[in-house]
Amino acid sequence: KQEVTQIPAALSVPEGENLVLNCSFTDSAIYNLQWFRQDPGKGLTSLLLIQSSQREQTSGRLNASLDKSSGRSTLYIAASQPGDSATYLCAFHGGSQGNLIFGKGTKLSVKP
Amino acid sequence: DVKVTQSSRYLVKRTGEKVFLECVQDMDHENMFWYRQDPGLGLRLIYFSYDVKMKEKGDIPEGYSVSREKKERFSLILESASTNQTSMYLCASSLTKGGGAPGGETQYFGPGTRLLVL
């Protein structure tokens, strides 16, 4: 069964720092991965989707990479801002059914 | 823009009540999903649906049922609410039947319903 691990569980950085969030998975037979952002008490906002045939995707200050051979994905946030403070979740499509398998998230706090 | 709406943001119910959580999407998506999110456990799939009147069990279907009478609407039903069903419930949708060809596709989430069962 696919398991998804996100490290660290929480991270606090000063404003302006570049940072990396990590996500690892146990089964390389994934279809794609998706990174989400969740603000406290709110739903999930999709940030980036990487297809299994791709290595990375970029959107503004965000860059997500996927390495199936090592079972890892990273989310890189450049020049972090207080508004980036949220919980970041990675999720994998583990099969043809379309449902997502989630990590437990990394709670990011960016201090002004 | 895809919009997924959920009928309530906050809900308080008593043990034994029948509870309906409604989800509506406005982009003609085939697939709809119900998850629950709990501290330390993350998001877990309860039920999903690929088509009208069709449903499939997820990882934790016990104590829940679903209904999809129209394509745009997916309802989660707690037949007899219990305190261990206190949670955040999130609905999601995606475009293509079966989640798309291998490679999958983006899932769009609603704002969530925080349910408290007393």
Side-chain angles (χ1 to χ4, degrees):
Chain A
K1 183 181 174 183
Q2 179 73 275
E3 290 187 7
V4 182
T5 303
Q6 290 189 248
I7 295 173
L11 182 63
S12 182
V13 300
E15 182 177 3
E17 249 190 43
N18 302 324
L19 58 100
V20 175
L21 307 181
N22 296 294
C23 178
S24 62
F25 48 96
T26 55
D27 186 351
S28 61
I30 65 167
Y31 288 103
N32 67 22
L33 84 91
Q34 197 166 354
W35 281 93
F36 293 89
R37 168 188 173 133
Q38 186 176 30
D39 293 289
K42 302 287 180 63
L44 276 65
T45 300
S46 180
L47 297 173
L48 290 163
L49 173 73
I50 307 179
Q51 304 283 355
S52 62
S53 57
Q54 298 173 323
R55 296 283 301 215
E56 64 179 312
Q57 282 285 332
T58 297
S59 175
R61 294 182 294 109
L62 306 180
N63 175 276
S65 68
L66 174 62
D67 184 345
K68 292 175 64 176
S69 62
S70 66
R72 286 186 184 178
S73 176
T74 60
L75 179 67
Y76 175 82
I77 302 176
S80 59
Q81 303 170 358
D84 295 329
S85 298
T87 296
Y88 290 82
L89 296 154
C90 69
F92 293 89
H93 282 220
S96 59
Q97 292 177 332
N99 57 295
L100 289 169
I101 301 166
F102 281 87
K104 293 179 182 176
T106 294
K107 186 175 182 179
L108 173 65
S109 177
V110 181
K111 305 294 186 185
Chain B
D1 260 2
V2 176
K3 192 165 184 184
V4 180
T5 57
Q6 295 182 229
S7 52
S8 304
R9 293 300 306 277
Y10 302 95
L11 213 49
V12 180
K13 296 291 181 181
R14 298 217 172 266
T15 302
E17 278 192 74
K18 190 169 186 176
V19 181
F20 293 86
L21 303 182
E22 305 283 344
C23 176
V24 177
Q25 48 91 8
D26 67 356
M27 285 300 290
D28 202 35
H29 282 182
E30 298 277 359
N31 309 316
M32 297 188 75
F33 308 85
W34 274 107
Y35 297 87
R36 65 177 281 177
Q37 184 178 30
D38 301 286
L41 297 176
L43 277 89
R44 294 176 291 168
L45 181 67
I46 305 171
Y47 267 98
F48 55 98
S49 170
Y50 296 148
D51 203 350
V52 174
K53 297 190 186 297
M54 180 275 177
K55 61 185 178 184
E56 290 286 344
K57 293 180 180 179
D59 297 322
I60 50 165
E62 297 78 18
Y64 303 94
S65 62
V66 290
S67 172
R68 194 162 180 206
E69 296 295 319
K70 294 185 177 181
K71 191 175 185 179
E72 67 270 19
R73 185 180 298 270
F74 192 35
S75 301
L76 180 69
I77 303 157
L78 286 65
E79 295 289 343
S80 178
S82 63
T83 55
N84 63 13
Q85 291 178 311
T86 291
S87 186
M88 174 74 141
Y89 290 87
L90 293 160
C91 174
S93 71
S94 66
L95 178 60
T96 310
K97 186 168 288 187
E105 57 189 5
T106 300
Q107 282 193 17
Y108 297 89
F109 280 77
T113 295
R114 190 168 292 280
L115 173 66
L116 173 62
V117 182
L118 300 173

